Amino acid sequence: MKSFALLASWLWAGAAVAGQFPEAFRPGPEAGGPRLAQMSGESAPGSSGSLRKGKVHMETWASDIQFFNLAAKIGGGPFYMTVLAGIEPGRDARFSFGAGLGGHVTLSRRLWLDVDVTGGAVQPVQKPLEGDGGNVLGQGRLMLGFQVLPRLAVFAGPTYNLWYVWGQPDFGSITRMSVSESQPESDRRLQHWPGLQLGLHI
């Protein structure tokens, strides 16, 4: 599968999820009703208060792979889907895109834990999606969050990353960490490494 196909799959996944949760974008039937209370970060009458109120959340973070990342998490229960993108400026500027599935656990009144698995690709900013080669980036992410306000949290945690490249690689490496590398074939290579991330959850 080439990176162009991965991009199409990522866009399709985001559209499908937006269609699956249309109620997350609609106002409630009554002004000041339960939905308005939920969107404002307050518990509705008769409901149990919980962290990360609402069904759509945004995250921004920095990681060992890219300086700036942005994600949308859809799902207000124990499971969620995420679509994400990032960019790394500089001489070898690059961007990424991906999608994944995860789970959310409330640890205490202010602490929560998210665990997810994502897949995507990394492309150069100049002349992206060109050539016969391609790559796939898979990540396992663990995020420990501290709820500062009802709709604002800080989070940090480790990641584990697998980057598979075939054809002509666009980058020698995409991380600031040291990597373990293998070369199953002359024009293919696999890198894996532990990483870090730090960000804000809204």
Side-chain angles (χ1 to χ4, degrees):
M1 182 187 301
K2 297 190 177 180
S3 297
F4 182 78
L6 285 172
L7 176 60
S9 300
W10 178 71
L11 294 174
W12 175 85
V17 171
Q20 188 175 358
F21 296 97
E23 67 276 6
F25 302 94
R26 295 184 192 140
E30 298 178 5
R35 183 164 301 283
L36 182 60
Q38 183 185 47
M39 294 177 65
S40 65
E42 299 176 359
S43 299
S47 68
S48 59
S50 63
L51 299 177
R52 297 180 5 137
K53 299 177 179 65
K55 295 197 175 195
V56 179
H57 306 272
M58 301 299 296
E59 287 181 344
T60 179
W61 71 95
S63 73
D64 61 287
I65 298 176
Q66 289 169 152
F67 181 75
F68 179 75
N69 301 271
L70 184 67
K73 285 183 174 177
I74 301 101
F79 301 104
Y80 63 86
M81 179 173 181
T82 182
V83 289
L84 61 158
I87 189 166
E88 175 70 18
R91 184 182 62 183
D92 296 325
R94 60 182 182 264
F95 70 94
S96 68
F97 51 87
L101 297 171
H104 172 77
V105 178
T106 299
L107 301 177
S108 69
R109 190 173 67 89
R110 288 188 177 270
L111 288 176
W112 49 262
L113 184 69
D114 279 5
V115 180
D116 60 34
V117 177
T118 66
V122 182
Q123 292 293 323
V125 171
Q126 295 184 351
K127 298 181 179 180
L129 304 173
E130 289 190 0
D132 296 328
N135 69 88
V136 175
L137 175 65
Q139 292 184 289
R141 309 188 304 157
L142 187 149
M143 293 151 278
L144 179 63
F146 178 78
Q147 206 72 25
V148 180
L149 297 171
R151 289 300 302 247
L152 177 65
V154 295
F155 69 88
T159 65
Y160 199 82
N161 311 274
L162 295 171
W163 191 46
Y164 182 62
V165 182
W166 63 93
Q168 293 296 323
D170 295 309
F171 316 106
S173 178
I174 58 171
T175 177
R176 296 170 176 85
M177 303 291 195
S178 59
V179 302
S180 298
E181 182 173 310
S182 59
Q183 195 167 4
E185 296 182 24
S186 59
D187 64 340
R188 300 170 187 265
R189 59 193 174 96
L190 174 66
Q191 294 181 351
H192 55 95
W193 68 95
L196 294 171
Q197 57 185 355
L198 174 67
L200 296 175
H201 175 99
I202 301 171

